[in-house]
Amino acid sequence: MRLNHSASSNIPRCFVVRAKKIEPREESLQNLRDRLIEQLENNSYECMICCQIVEANQWIWTCQKCFHMFHISRGRTNGCITQWALKCRSESADEGWRCPSCQHVSYELPTEYKCFCGKEANPRMKRFPDLPHSCGGICGKSRGFGCPHTCTERCHPGPCPDCPLFTTIMCNCGRETKKIRCGSQAEFECSSACGKKLNCGLHTCARICHKGDCESCSQMISQSQRVV
């Protein structure tokens, strides 16, 4: 089917580029981080908007949701991602704009060039074997997922690696404990009966270890029976 150029000329640029997007294969966070590092070191990472290589001496903006990198102008008034955001904001009722890759909505214009961990503005150009666009310091970002330990890797693109530490958590009913990798699991259920006192004060919960409140007691008792 041949594209009607007169009709397509009225389509906003942000939607034209979005239509060309090819969904990437699902990959693990570790593989994503390794791939981004390899592409930057090999000078082969492409900006999704202009389809040009992201050079080591060029300024970039990184989406904190999908970790895609885009060109940003040294003049802070144009550049791929800034122009994209301005165009999309002009067509949005709430002045929000979407990342070309993951469609995450942002409201602040991308005008600042920072290292991957965000600590250093306008990081100096790195030469091999140093990683471009990295400040070279410790990342220090929060890992999320309930992990209280910050990332100890050097400033890097992509998601932070899983926490290498272990912690002990208690099951929902409090009878058993389990050692897990920090941040990998928030809770677990053992195979024992809950055993917590029900709202009646007489009977205990017979459900298998569960999260949340126990159900109200459904047993019938005579009026003469009372709590001692």
Side-chain angles (χ1 to χ4, degrees):
M1 179 178 178
R2 182 170 296 178
L3 180 66
N4 186 326
H5 292 283
S6 61
S8 63
S9 61
N10 295 323
I11 301 176
R13 172 177 166 77
C14 55
F15 289 102
V16 173
V17 178
R18 192 178 304 162
K20 294 180 180 179
K21 175 189 171 186
I22 299 176
E23 293 293 338
R25 295 178 301 172
E26 290 187 4
E27 59 182 332
S28 69
L29 298 182
Q30 176 69 49
N31 290 342
L32 172 60
R33 183 173 59 257
D34 292 345
R35 176 174 61 81
L36 293 176
I37 291 175
E38 180 181 3
Q39 289 178 321
L40 287 173
E41 290 178 339
N42 294 337
N43 199 36
S44 61
Y45 187 88
E46 291 186 1
C47 171
M48 178 181 284
I49 298 176
C50 68
C51 298
Q52 299 297 313
I53 296 296
V54 173
E55 304 284 353
N57 62 344
Q58 293 177 319
W59 288 15
I60 64 168
W61 177 86
T62 304
C63 176
Q64 296 303 307
K65 293 295 182 181
C66 67
F67 308 106
H68 269 78
M69 293 166 276
F70 307 91
H71 289 115
I72 192 171
S73 172
R74 289 179 183 270
R76 302 189 181 188
T77 56
N78 49 42
C80 296
I81 193 62
T82 308
Q83 288 298 312
W84 171 280
L86 287 170
K87 182 66 175 177
C88 290
R89 272 192 20 166
S90 68
E91 300 164 355
S92 172
D94 58 2
E95 295 190 347
W97 61 277
R98 295 178 180 272
C99 168
S101 172
C102 66
Q103 304 297 297
H104 174 71
V105 178
S106 299
Y107 295 92
E108 183 178 352
L109 282 176
T111 57
E112 290 187 294
Y113 171 44
K114 292 186 176 182
C115 65
F116 296 117
C117 70
K119 294 190 183 73
E120 185 176 322
N122 306 330
R124 290 181 297 177
M125 185 182 72
K126 301 294 191 298
R127 297 185 181 277
F128 185 82
D130 294 328
L131 183 66
H133 315 295
S134 169
C135 67
I138 300 300
C139 172
K141 285 184 179 180
S142 171
R143 300 176 192 270
F145 305 108
C147 173
H149 312 110
T150 56
C151 178
T152 56
E153 296 288 317
R154 290 199 176 274
C155 180
H156 60 86
C160 297
D162 293 335
C163 183
L165 302 178
F166 284 82
T167 185
T168 301
I169 62 173
M170 187 174 291
C171 70
N172 290 317
C173 72
R175 292 175 181 270
E176 296 184 14
T177 58
K178 181 180 180 181
K179 182 170 285 190
I180 62 168
R181 187 177 291 276
C182 183
S184 64
Q185 187 178 1
E187 57 187 25
F188 78 99
E189 299 174 357
C190 70
S191 57
S192 303
C194 173
K196 294 178 182 177
K197 283 280 189 180
L198 296 178
N199 61 332
C200 66
L202 287 174
H203 307 106
T204 57
C205 179
R207 292 173 57 195
I208 298 299
C209 178
H210 62 89
K211 62 181 179 180
D213 296 332
C214 299
E215 297 176 353
S216 298
C217 183
S218 60
Q219 296 194 42
M220 303 295 292
I221 61 173
S222 63
Q223 289 185 347
S224 60
Q225 188 176 359
R226 60 188 179 86
V227 179
V228 178

